[in-house]
């Protein structure tokens, strides 16, 4: 004879393999609609924090695009003559055949001063770049008596030191842009 035993629920010995995320999602589903589970809220905050950190990093590293200063004076040609660096060399002149002011900076990183000769077809200028120093042409006025090219064109200048010489094709600008107006020769 078969005896029937009352049916009782026995605890299952099977282990549940739910991830922590599944547990949080189930808890969130059981929660009241207006209540946000703390872990779900934390994930949202972490995503927002990550996005903010990424945007900040892109901005700080300059990935937001090129930045130009309206106060920048020199947009000329760079070069080197001997040990002297030539930075942003250009001429400012009202028009072709008129006087032109040389702008840019000469840099000497050696322990001795260096004399540099700068010339165009009809003028020659001598400057001495100090040891471990600079010779800024925006504060040391150097003017060629006439410029052979009109504003908007390139003109060739020659530069030489006792050890070496070079030529540069530098832009000729006029006073159309406000930062250059003060440098127009009178």
């Amino acid at each position: 004879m078969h005896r029937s035993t009352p049916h009782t629920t026995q605890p299952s010995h099977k282990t549940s393999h739910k991830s922590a995320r599944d547990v949080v999602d189930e808890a969130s589903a059981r929660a009241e609609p207006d209540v946000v589970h703390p872990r779900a809220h934390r994930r949202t905050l972490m995503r927002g924090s990550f996005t903010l950190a990424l945007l900040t990093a892109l901005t700080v590293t300059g990935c937001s695009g090129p930045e130009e200063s309206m106060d920048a004076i020199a947009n000329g040609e760079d070069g080197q003559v001997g040990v002297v660096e030539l930075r942003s060399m250009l001429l400012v002149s009202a028009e072709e055949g008129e006087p032109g002011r040389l702008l840019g900076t000469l840099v000497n990183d050696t322990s001795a001063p260096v004399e540099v000769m700068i010339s165009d077809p009809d003028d020659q200028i001598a400057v001495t770049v100090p040891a471990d120093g600079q010779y800024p042409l925006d504060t040391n006025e150097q003017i060629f008596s006439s410029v052979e090219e009109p504003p908007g064109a390139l003109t060739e200048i020659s530069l030489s030191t006792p050890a070496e010489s070079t030529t540069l094709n530098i832009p000729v600008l006029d006073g159309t842009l406000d930062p250059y107006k003060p440098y127009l020769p009178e």
Side-chain angles (χ1 to χ4, degrees), residues 9-79:
T9 306
Q10 299 263 338
S12 171
H13 294 289
K14 292 183 184 178
T15 57
S16 174
H17 294 287
K18 292 183 181 179
S19 70
R21 177 177 239 157
D22 292 336
V23 172
V24 168
D25 289 341
E26 285 176 7
S28 294
R30 287 190 306 262
E32 295 178 29
D34 294 330
V35 176
V36 177
H37 192 276
R39 286 191 180 141
H41 182 67
R42 188 176 329 145
R43 261 191 309 221
T44 302
L45 285 175
M46 287 174 55
R47 285 184 192 131
S49 296
F50 175 76
T51 303
L52 180 61
L54 180 62
L55 289 173
T56 301
L58 289 174
T59 302
V60 169
T61 59
C63 294
S64 60
E67 221 174 277
E68 293 182 13
S69 169
M70 293 303 291
D71 296 328
I73 292 298
N75 294 310
E77 188 67 26
D78 294 340

Side-chain angles (χ1 to χ4, degrees), residues 110-166:
T110 69
S111 59
V114 178
E115 186 170 308
V116 179
M117 298 299 287
I118 307 168
S119 57
D120 72 354
D122 59 351
D123 293 299
Q124 188 169 357
I125 299 168
V127 299
T128 301
V129 185
D132 293 314
Q134 299 182 357
Y135 190 90
L137 293 163
D138 62 333
T139 56
N140 295 294
E141 185 175 85
Q142 299 295 330
I143 296 181
F144 288 131
S145 62
S146 68
V147 177
E148 292 193 354
E149 301 295 333
L154 296 175
T155 192
E156 185 177 276
I157 60 169
S158 299
L159 300 104
S160 62
T161 65
E164 194 176 313
S165 64
T166 191

Side-chain angles (χ1 to χ4, degrees), residues 13-14 21 86 88 91 96 106 113 133 153 158-159 169 173:
H13 294 289
K14 292 183 184 178
R21 177 177 239 157
L86 311 166
S88 298
L91 276 170
E96 181 180 353
L106 287 77
S158 299
L159 300 104
N169 285 315
L173 302 175

